[in-house]
Amino acid sequence: MMRRRELLLGMASFASISPAQAQKPDAVLRLTLGTATPGGSFPAFGRALIAAVHEVDPGLAIEPRVTKGSTENLQLLKSAQLDLALVQGEYAYEALSSQRSDGVGLKVVAPIDASPGMFVVPAASPVRNIPDLRGRAVALGTRGSGFTIMGRTVLQGSGIDPDHDITPVLLDDAGDGATQVLDGRAAALWGASLGWPGFKSLADAPGGARFFGPAPEAIPDILALRTSMRRLTVPAGSFRGQDAVIETVGSWSFILARPGLDTASVTRLVRAIDQGRNTLARLYPQGRESDPRNLVSNVPTTWLHPATAVYLREFGTDPN
């Protein structure tokens, strides 16, 4: 009871801060945010998040840090070299489920989006499905990205050995994947999220592109391999030339906080994300999915930062 009262009091004190007060020097709150390599969806989301939060609370300064992706972000959070970081679902679930049960450790602050995974090839390519990838070079993503793990899982669940049935191409920068497909070094590119720049680059390239996910009969086998993965749908028209709905799989990605990040800071951030959702949706294709209320059905309550849990009880949906 005392803990809940402290959380509520902390949140109430920050809820009373006006925009004018937030701009005072002594009211400025600075938080560091780990994203990923240039050319991926995490840097794009990070830019949109910073703009949306600044519009609502100019005194909340989020400083982005370029990293190698989810793997490095987790390491930097654990060593308190970052306050916040963007972490893809596969890595987030693994890290959070393996933590001690005493409440100390990494915590989920807010969702990013549900990232549907797909392969993309030039429209003129003979590759039309996952079995057609056998014997070909496939750009699977960067070494530190959870999207790469997701792609390997999709291949494995579809009966393709990602180490032997294809030539896996691991990238130094996420933005290199589209280039490798366009110049012929890779036959296909794997990626996830409707906001992923590589998808747009290939869809808008001369000749266009074609997208596909796993076969419907393979989806149950894929989901059985990882508890973090979900059935997801890519609406028709999400990309240029993509006229049909694509049924696929993917997982939620999250904004995680370092151990011990204080309640007042997280309360202020979650409130700004919630109030800035319209701007976030305008700047990032899946920005509306960053609604904190989407955490309720996607992560256990014990994984939530206490301030996020209190915010959901008071202004959204009770996570219990």
Side-chain angles (χ1 to χ4, degrees):
M1 180 64 72
M2 287 300 296
R3 179 59 176 163
R4 175 178 170 80
R5 181 177 299 172
E6 290 169 3
L7 294 175
L8 288 172
L9 288 173
M11 190 179 79
S13 66
F14 276 85
S16 64
I17 294 176
S18 68
Q21 288 174 312
Q23 295 183 62
K24 293 181 180 179
D26 60 354
V28 172
L29 171 63
R30 299 188 183 279
L31 298 172
T32 53
L33 173 72
T35 57
T37 61
S41 59
F42 276 2
F45 174 82
R47 291 190 294 271
L49 175 71
I50 291 168
V53 167
H54 179 76
E55 185 174 288
V56 173
D57 185 350
L60 176 48
I62 300 177
E63 302 172 359
R65 301 281 178 84
V66 174
T67 70
K68 296 177 182 178
S70 295
T71 302
E72 186 177 23
N73 284 348
L74 287 170
Q75 295 170 350
L76 294 173
L77 283 174
K78 292 175 181 177
S79 61
Q81 296 181 64
L82 291 171
D83 296 313
L84 306 161
L86 310 181
V87 180
Q88 199 272 339
E90 274 58 55
Y91 282 115
Y93 268 72
E94 181 178 344
L96 293 165
S97 62
S98 63
Q99 290 189 140
R100 293 161 19 190
S101 59
D102 57 6
V104 177
L106 305 175
K107 293 295 181 181
V108 177
V109 168
I112 299 176
D113 59 22
S115 302
M118 294 181 290
F119 290 97
V120 58
V121 299
S125 169
V127 175
R128 309 196 71 85
N129 51 44
I130 290 178
D132 288 345
L133 295 174
R134 289 182 182 275
R136 303 178 188 270
V138 179
L140 290 177
T142 62
R143 291 169 177 81
S145 172
F147 290 161
T148 303
I149 292 179
M150 187 197 300
R152 292 175 61 87
T153 302
V154 168
L155 289 169
Q156 184 180 351
S158 300
I160 300 290
D161 184 331
D163 293 315
H164 300 98
D165 292 338
I166 64 167
T167 300
V169 178
L170 298 179
L171 308 168
D172 292 323
D173 290 321
D176 293 342
T179 301
Q180 293 204 17
V181 171
L182 290 173
D183 66 19
R185 283 178 288 166
L189 172 65
W190 165 264
S193 176
L194 302 187
W196 199 54
F199 284 163
K200 188 176 187 303
S201 295
L202 288 173
D204 293 344
R210 184 170 61 255
F211 296 84
F212 59 89
E217 60 271 19
I219 289 179
D221 292 332
I222 295 168
L223 297 178
L225 293 173
R226 286 195 173 270
T227 58
S228 58
M229 299 188 75
R230 305 282 188 272
R231 289 180 181 268
L232 295 175
T233 299
V234 179
S238 296
F239 299 97
R240 180 182 176 185
Q242 183 236 327
D243 299 324
V245 170
I246 299 174
E247 300 296 336
T248 186
V249 297
S251 60
W252 281 84
S253 297
F254 306 102
I255 303 173
L256 298 190
R258 62 170 172 80
L261 185 60
D262 65 282
T263 295
S265 296
V266 175
T267 296
R268 188 168 170 181
L269 174 62
V270 174
R271 186 183 67 245
I273 292 172
D274 194 14
Q275 294 178 356
R277 279 185 290 126
N278 288 337
T279 299
L280 193 52
R282 175 170 54 83
L283 297 175
Y284 185 77
Q286 290 177 269
R288 291 195 184 280
E289 295 185 355
S290 297
D291 185 337
R293 296 159 189 82
N294 283 332
L295 293 173
V296 175
S297 59
N298 287 292
V299 297
T301 304
T302 54
W303 292 2
L304 299 179
H305 192 284
T308 298
V310 170
Y311 190 92
L312 291 175
R313 293 189 191 102
E314 300 303 312
F315 298 98
T317 304
D318 192 335
N320 292 320

